[in-house]
Amino acid sequence: QVQLVESGGGLVQPGGSLRLSCAASGVVFTSAWYRQVPGKQRELVASITRGGFTDYSDAVRGRFTISRDNGDHTMALQMNNLKPEDTATYYCNARNAFNIDFWGQGTQVTVSS
């Protein structure tokens, strides 16, 4: 069992930046950030493998950067040039060696003037 604890959400104006962090209680392999708005499916925002290979959704590529530190089991999502359509609840996701997914509790990001 891996527990994920997120932090860093909040309210920001359009064009601003936020950094989300996620701390895992154990070793994970692929890590990712998802987001969800009410009434819609949860969508993949960015992912990173243990070796550092990254992938992004078209909606955030060039604005968001995912990173991880394998030593202390943490992951981050740097979000720049935020837009109102980025408003959502963001979830940290991690997959262990047995391909079991774990989820954080979610953190709200609101982009509004």
Side-chain angles (χ1 to χ4, degrees):
Q1 188 80 4
V2 175
Q3 293 185 338
L4 303 174
V5 179
E6 302 154 355
S7 60
L11 172 64
V12 64
Q13 292 186 342
S17 298
L18 278 176
R19 183 177 178 86
L20 305 182
S21 298
C22 178
S25 62
V27 175
V28 296
F29 287 79
T30 301
S31 303
W33 288 94
Y34 286 73
R35 66 186 182 186
Q36 188 172 25
V37 297
K40 292 190 176 181
Q41 284 191 329
R42 192 170 295 187
E43 64 172 356
L44 177 64
V45 174
S47 63
I48 184 168
T49 67
R50 189 167 176 80
F53 179 81
T54 59
D55 196 17
Y56 299 90
S57 69
D58 289 342
V60 307
R61 186 175 291 111
R63 299 188 296 121
F64 290 12
T65 302
I66 189 171
S67 61
R68 63 185 286 169
D69 185 327
N70 293 330
D72 60 7
H73 310 311
T74 58
M75 178 177 61
L77 185 68
Q78 177 66 40
M79 305 184 293
N80 297 329
N81 191 22
L82 282 160
K83 304 177 180 180
E85 51 264 42
D86 295 318
T87 295
T89 300
Y90 284 70
Y91 295 90
C92 175
N93 165 271
R95 181 169 293 178
N96 67 5
F98 303 100
N99 277 336
I100 297 174
D101 282 321
F102 300 93
W103 295 91
Q105 78 281 7
T107 185
Q108 179 66 34
V109 171
T110 302
V111 184
S112 175
S113 55

